[in-house]
Amino acid sequence: MRFSALTLARNALSFHEKWPQLWRSPEPQPRYDVIVVGGGGHGLATAYYLAKEHGIHNVAVIEKGWLGGGNTGRNTTVVRSNYFYPESALIYDLSLRLYEGLSREIGFNVMLSQRGLVTLAHSTHQLEMLVRWHNAMRLNGIDGELLSVAEVRRWLPLLNAAPTARYPVKGALLQRRGGVARHDAVAWGYARAADALGVDIIQNCEVNGFLREGDRIVGVETSRGRIRAPKIALAVAGHSSVLAAKAGFRLPITSYALQAYVTEPLKPVLSCVALSMSTGTYVSQSDKGELVTGGALDLYPSYAQRGNLPTLQGIVAGLVELFPSFSRLRMLRQWAGIVDVVHDSSPIIDRAPVRGVYLNCGWGTGGFKAIPGGGFTLAHLLATDRQHPAAAGFTLRRFATGALIDEGAAAGISH
Ligand SMILES: Cc1cc2nc3c(=O)[nH]c(=O)nc-3n(C[C@H](O)[C@H](O)[C@H](O)COP(=O)(O)OP(=O)(O)OC[C@H]3O[C@@H](n4cnc5c(N)ncnc54)[C@H](O)[C@@H]3O)c2cc1C
């Protein structure tokens, strides 16, 4: 079914009770060509591109909970491609370009809103960093503009840009193509499109172990029985190290909780995404009017998917310093997700050290924007056994050679 004004009108007449299910809920088959573990955005996008780009339809996505119930449905939805290194520019801009055509391609509105992302500098040193970053973006062919203080004031009228502010504004870097997209819709849209191409999406099915033949993994043990496949992709974000340990290898990943917060809804007050280089706090306004805000990781590794007051306090303090009028708002909701952090803040798309297993992980605090690109390049690797050029830098080899792609240090990693 394609969504249109006509289908909307037809379903309105039946009080919206007759919409078809967006995807089937099939029983797991004993064997597939590819199993993708993890029904987040990356797993679902991988399955979709396997079917669409490579004609591999006999694919299962196995999810222990519900689709998008991991970080994909918990993030603050910022998309951008303003990275520093050429390797990052390749994959994140591929992703943003795929996002730009995604709603039309899959016939499902992912509500991409390229409203602009403004990164604020609060000192001369930070401004120099922004200029260097902007130059790198231009060399990488990515759009970006430096903003003067007067221009920042026009983009963010409620910002406290006074010279006496605790974080005075010295300038900013704008990526106009940056913005937000609807996170659930990305998961649901990919799921619907993959299902239409024959992919089996199996929810409430946890992978608890792996089947081995010699030095090769040939299937998974799940809470709903054994399922075999010659190729198994892991796209399980914060649980990558847990599954890697079960498959018999280690990953350079540490899992942390990352939190986000939403205020009560307001009339439109913020037309772009704003991010502070000093505090790491960032904020955007959702279509419902709520301010969506977040900041840095919790300080200690954890698998506890919940929040805490010290982080809330730090992020809210950063927000209120930037936008004093927001101090009057009430916080409505708070939550956390478990993110997979690598020391150079860059992803891993590669074959695992154990044969038969493929990896898509390490996106840490910023992998929502990378869902189309991560899925596209992992599908290429699974189908051809060759690394996609856009993911060439993101193999495990860099941890042996030391050729890290340290985006955390270069361009900051705030989502
Ligand atoms: C609070 C917060 C804010 C964020 N903000 C942004 C942002 O603004 N922009 C941005 O680009 N990124 C952001 N991120 C990061 C982004 O959400 C993630 O990088 C991205 O969603 C990862 O997608 P994924 O598909 O790899 O993982 P997930 O969406 O986490 O999917 C992994 C899935 O694997 C499943 N799974 C795990 N173990 C098993 C098992 N044993 N068997 C079967 N299934 C299993 C999980 O249930 C989960 O559904 C944020 C993250 C958080 C937590």
Side-chain angles (χ1 to χ4, degrees):
M1 185 201 64
R2 291 199 70 82
F3 294 107
S4 67
L6 195 64
T7 51
L8 195 60
R10 196 179 311 123
N11 281 283
L13 292 176
S14 55
F15 302 100
H16 296 289
E17 286 170 358
K18 293 195 176 152
W19 285 101
Q21 286 201 323
L22 291 189
W23 53 85
R24 298 161 298 130
S25 293
E27 283 304 309
Q29 300 300 307
R31 186 177 295 275
Y32 289 92
D33 292 337
V34 179
I35 292 173
V36 181
V37 186
H42 283 273
L44 292 163
T46 302
Y48 168 69
Y49 291 119
L50 270 173
K52 179 180 172 250
E53 300 291 326
H54 305 282
I56 301 175
H57 301 267
N58 187 23
V59 177
V61 176
I62 301 186
E63 165 56 48
K64 73 174 174 185
W66 66 93
L67 295 190
N71 297 334
T72 298
R74 291 168 184 273
N75 68 73
T76 43
T77 76
V78 177
V79 298
R80 61 185 175 98
S81 63
N82 59 348
Y83 282 76
F84 186 86
Y85 289 108
E87 293 89 339
S88 313
L90 272 180
I91 194 156
Y92 287 104
D93 208 57
L94 166 69
S95 203
L96 191 50
R97 279 183 279 120
L98 288 169
Y99 259 133
E100 285 167 347
L102 191 60
S103 296
R104 187 170 290 275
E105 178 180 334
I106 61 178
F108 198 88
N109 190 357
V110 299
M111 296 167 76
L112 175 68
S113 164
Q114 291 178 292
R115 58 185 66 178
L117 169 74
V118 175
T119 304
L120 298 164
H122 303 288
S123 66
T124 310
H125 171 72
Q126 285 179 357
L127 195 56
E128 282 171 8
M129 293 287 288
L130 281 192
V131 172
R132 175 173 168 268
W133 182 0
H134 178 229
N135 285 338
M137 285 166 63
R138 290 177 61 191
L139 290 173
N140 294 335
I142 306 293
D143 65 301
E145 293 160 47
L146 288 172
L147 300 183
S148 66
V149 179
E151 288 167 321
V152 173
R153 282 205 174 99
R154 280 201 291 278
W155 274 83
L156 296 164
L158 293 184
L159 180 76
N160 181 6
T164 51
R166 179 160 182 194
Y167 298 110
V169 176
K170 300 289 181 187
L173 176 59
L174 164 70
Q175 188 184 23
R176 284 183 194 266
R177 287 167 64 234
V180 292
R182 171 84 196 272
H183 49 13
D184 300 319
V186 172
W188 299 336
Y190 272 123
R192 176 176 177 269
D195 175 87
L197 294 173
V199 170
D200 279 1
I201 294 167
I202 300 162
Q203 299 180 76
N204 298 313
C205 181
E206 180 164 7
V207 170
N208 296 318
F210 293 89
L211 308 176
R212 253 167 228 283
E213 273 173 17
D215 64 347
R216 212 186 159 87
I217 301 250
V218 294
V220 289
E221 296 269 9
T222 79
S223 51
R224 291 169 69 179
R226 293 182 164 183
I227 311 175
R228 298 177 79 87
K231 293 185 175 179
I232 295 163
L234 303 185
V236 292
H239 293 85
S240 300
S241 322
V242 177
L243 281 186
K246 291 186 176 172
F249 62 93
R250 289 184 66 200
L251 284 173
I253 283 183
T254 312
S255 294
Y256 292 89
L258 177 66
Q259 304 185 43
Y261 311 89
V262 162
T263 68
E264 60 188 315
L266 301 171
K267 288 188 176 170
V269 290
L270 187 63
S271 62
C272 60
V273 184
L275 186 150
S276 158
M277 285 180 88
S278 283
T279 63
T281 298
Y282 63 98
V283 59
S284 67
Q285 189 167 22
S286 77
D287 292 339
K288 283 186 280 182
E290 299 161 336
L291 296 178
V292 183
T293 187
L297 289 165
D298 279 13
L299 292 177
Y300 46 87
S302 171
Y303 288 99
Q305 206 165 247
R306 59 171 182 251
N308 52 44
L309 276 176
T311 306
L312 169 66
Q313 207 172 15
I315 289 171
V316 169
L319 182 67
V320 169
E321 290 291 353
L322 295 179
F323 299 96
S325 54
F326 293 171
S327 66
R328 309 289 294 276
L329 297 175
R330 281 166 292 193
M331 281 292 175
L332 279 197
R333 295 192 304 282
Q334 167 284 331
W335 65 88
I338 304 302
V339 295
D340 41 341
V341 178
V342 177
H343 18 283
D344 65 352
S345 311
S346 284
I348 298 167
I349 296 187
D350 201 357
R351 273 171 286 229
V354 174
R355 289 174 68 207
V357 179
Y358 296 72
L359 300 168
N360 171 334
C361 57
W363 297 103
T365 60
F368 173 70
K369 67 181 74 67
I371 283 174
F376 194 88
T377 51
L378 180 65
H380 179 93
L381 178 63
L382 282 158
T384 63
D385 267 312
R386 287 195 315 272
Q387 195 77 0
H388 189 282
F394 299 113
T395 62
L396 284 168
R397 225 174 94 74
R398 73 181 192 270
F399 301 103
T401 61
L404 301 178
I405 305 165
D406 196 343
E407 281 296 340
I413 53 163
S414 280
H415 324 302

